[in-house]
Amino acid sequence: MAEHGFLCLCELVRLLWSLVVPCVFLSLALTALLLFLILGTRLWLRRRRTDRQQGLNSPVVAFFHPYCNAGGGGERVLWCALRALQSRYKDASYVVYTGDQGVTGEQILEGARRRFNIRLPGPVKFVFLKHRFLVEASLYPHFTLLGQSLGSIFLGWEALTELVPDIYIDSMGYAFTLPLFKYLAACRTASYVHYPTISTDMLSVVHSRNPRFNNAEYISRNPILSAIKLIYYCMFAFLYGLVGSCSDVIMVNSTWTQNHILTLWRCRDRTSVVYPPCDVQAFLDIPLESGQAKKRHSVVSIGQFRPEKDHRLQIHAFQKLLGKTVAGEVEAPRLVLIGGCRNQEDEERVRLLRGLCQELGVEDKVEFKLNIPFEELKKELASATVGLHTMWNEHFGIGIVECMAAGMVVLAHRSGGPLLDIVVPHEGGATGFLADDEDGYAEALERILALSPEARLEIRRNARQSVSRFSDREFEASFLSAVEPVMGAAQR
């Protein structure tokens, strides 16, 4: 019996050995093939760049910004960064990888001038990518972060095969494209992080099973699904840290973003805070007058119609405000929602918000202004009393700064950039208000509108004086200082 068992064991060992040896050789062969493909691709891309460089003595700087024709704060960063680089490094050539279709480069630049009052001192080449749909969230109803990140790799590959630059700058937060350009194309890389793709706050939301716009209620209610999502988030955060560390220069837009990027990317020596450019100068000519109590107040919200901006909270809080009495006011206040629509999904979101206004009976007191030109935006801010912002953990908040510069009393969420960088005391004086839920916003709005004109004027003065650190000039100086290591190396 023992001898029979020994023979069976020997047969099992022989079987396993017969399987292991081919698997080892197969693994070695596949690894060698992968290395061959990587080295071959790297050689091919470098040859394409060499062919492009023939006859040129200047580097090509490429920005990866698939939504460059949108009207948000990220796009303002793009155009101001280009303007700063073109003014400093006049001999370099500049490229923008964009996924916008149906527009020309001239129309995109005209849109930047119309929306942001920005004119570039030099020419820009646009590389129009055909597969931007690969980074659309709607394409990935589940595992959205992973799907969009993998999609960005394919979109980045399309960009790389269209044109191989010398310096690659991810200006929109697609960190998974960085290894492509750094290791396959041997580019110098830089990134400007508006918002971490994943953050420790997101991990804590899933861990605490707290429902949010990015944590569906059916998941937060189920401990098994929550555990699976937490594991998925932790693995994704690890990958995000690996690809992010491929950036030679890392710029972040706020203290809040910096804290998360340092935790995930672990590149303290390469990371610096570069506050985004806010067009404060364009609003400083709006006079700060105490005047008399307004007959009708306007509450203005600025922000793209994305789910995380939480326009529903604004409408609900405003509806509660209308149930309160504001001293000295003849007419009920109005709410003006100003923002850009990037795609059909955003337009559908606006349609649902209009429906919510009808459901709450406030449709005649809420106005939607979509993709409006700069002059109309300035006019709305000049006549408004309150600047409203409700995004939880807003990475920065350019719209908040613009409202402060225009002389409005701001009311923002008690988190992220507004809490740490923007709505902070200036020389001991208040610069605005913070809230974190529907009732808190309604009460804060009532309090602001009930203030005397003189009390509001004091807050508005403090706020306006505090925003000079967010000007275009400050951004350009900080941006040029941050990218000097990669730009200077390319010039040599």
Side-chain angles (χ1 to χ4, degrees), residues 336-370:
V336 185
L337 303 179
I338 302 175
C341 282
R342 303 164 298 173
N343 47 40
Q344 187 175 355
E345 186 179 351
D346 287 354
E347 293 173 0
E348 174 64 16
R349 191 169 294 112
V350 171
R351 188 187 69 79
L352 293 176
L353 290 173
R354 292 183 189 273
L356 176 62
C357 292
Q358 292 180 344
E359 180 183 333
L360 298 178
V362 297
E363 68 275 12
D364 59 331
K365 298 178 180 63
V366 179
E367 298 179 42
F368 290 82
K369 302 209 169 195
L370 313 180

Side-chain angles (χ1 to χ4, degrees), residues 13 63 143:
V13 170
F63 285 80
F143 299 98

Side-chain angles (χ1 to χ4, degrees), residues 52-357:
R52 174 187 55 76
Q53 289 174 333
Q54 289 182 356
L56 297 176
N57 296 321
S58 59
V60 171
V61 182
F63 285 80
F64 189 77
H65 208 104
Y67 294 90
C68 78
N69 200 36
E75 287 66 59
R76 192 167 208 287
V77 168
L78 169 68
W79 303 123
C80 285
L82 274 167
R83 183 174 62 185
L85 288 174
Q86 288 184 341
S87 299
R88 170 73 65 86
Y89 304 100
K90 296 181 175 61
D91 294 333
S93 300
Y94 297 92
V95 173
V96 175
Y97 298 118
T98 179
D100 294 299
Q101 298 292 322
V103 292
T104 63
E106 291 75 14
Q107 290 172 327
I108 292 175
L109 293 174
E110 173 60 22
R113 184 203 64 77
R114 183 174 60 88
R115 292 171 184 164
F116 305 118
N117 198 28
I118 294 176
R119 293 176 174 84
L120 299 182
V124 174
K125 177 181 178 180
F126 291 90
V127 175
F128 293 94
L129 308 177
K130 300 177 181 178
H131 298 89
R132 189 177 70 179
F133 67 91
L134 292 174
V135 297
E136 294 280 356
S138 58
L139 190 62
Y140 312 100
H142 305 290
F143 299 98
T144 307
L145 295 180
L146 181 61
Q148 287 184 288
S149 298
L150 293 176
S152 73
I153 295 175
F154 287 100
L155 193 62
W157 174 252
E158 181 187 355
L160 190 55
T161 54
E162 289 290 333
L163 185 144
V164 183
D166 299 289
I167 299 170
Y168 172 76
I169 302 177
D170 168 35
S171 55
M172 206 173 172
Y174 292 106
F176 280 75
T177 63
L178 291 167
L180 284 178
F181 286 84
K182 183 177 179 67
Y183 295 117
L184 287 184
C187 300
R188 295 186 176 274
T189 56
S191 55
Y192 189 94
V193 184
H194 300 273
Y195 194 87
T197 303
I198 191 168
S199 66
T200 54
D201 286 337
M202 293 168 65
L203 294 174
S204 66
V205 164
V206 177
H207 183 267
S208 61
R209 297 171 59 188
N210 182 13
R212 291 272 183 178
F213 76 91
N214 58 353
N215 191 38
E217 192 170 348
Y218 76 91
I219 292 179
S220 64
R221 286 180 174 179
N222 190 309
I224 297 177
L225 293 179
S226 292
I228 293 174
K229 185 169 184 176
L230 183 60
I231 294 172
Y232 157 57
Y233 267 19
C234 289
M235 294 175 64
F236 184 85
F238 174 74
L239 292 175
Y240 182 59
L242 288 180
V243 297
S245 64
C246 295
S247 186
D248 298 317
V249 168
I250 303 166
M251 294 165 281
V252 296
N253 67 342
S254 69
T255 303
W256 180 87
T257 306
Q258 181 188 44
N259 292 339
H260 289 283
I261 290 299
L262 290 179
T263 300
L264 296 168
W265 292 14
R266 301 180 184 277
C267 301
R268 184 174 295 273
D269 59 326
R270 287 176 271 157
T271 305
S272 57
V273 176
V274 179
Y275 288 128
C278 306
D279 193 12
V280 296
Q281 192 61 43
F283 298 104
L284 293 180
D285 58 350
I286 298 175
L288 290 181
E289 299 176 354
S290 58
Q292 302 296 322
K294 289 187 177 182
K295 292 184 177 181
R296 188 179 192 187
H297 292 289
S298 292
V299 179
V300 171
S301 164
I302 305 176
Q304 289 182 327
F305 287 96
R306 306 199 307 261
E308 62 268 26
K309 295 298 184 180
D310 208 349
H311 290 90
R312 293 180 61 87
L313 173 57
Q314 297 178 6
I315 295 171
H316 278 286
F318 181 71
Q319 190 259 349
K320 287 193 172 184
L321 171 69
L322 294 179
K324 303 174 182 291
T325 302
V326 179
E329 184 160 339
V330 177
E331 296 184 59
R334 66 176 186 137
L335 174 63
V336 185
L337 303 179
I338 302 175
C341 282
R342 303 164 298 173
N343 47 40
Q344 187 175 355
E345 186 179 351
D346 287 354
E347 293 173 0
E348 174 64 16
R349 191 169 294 112
V350 171
R351 188 187 69 79
L352 293 176
L353 290 173
R354 292 183 189 273
L356 176 62
C357 292

Side-chain angles (χ1 to χ4, degrees), residues 114-115 370-378:
R114 183 174 60 88
R115 292 171 184 164
L370 313 180
N371 302 319
I372 63 175
F374 178 78
E375 288 304 320
E376 186 176 351
L377 169 66
K378 186 175 179 180

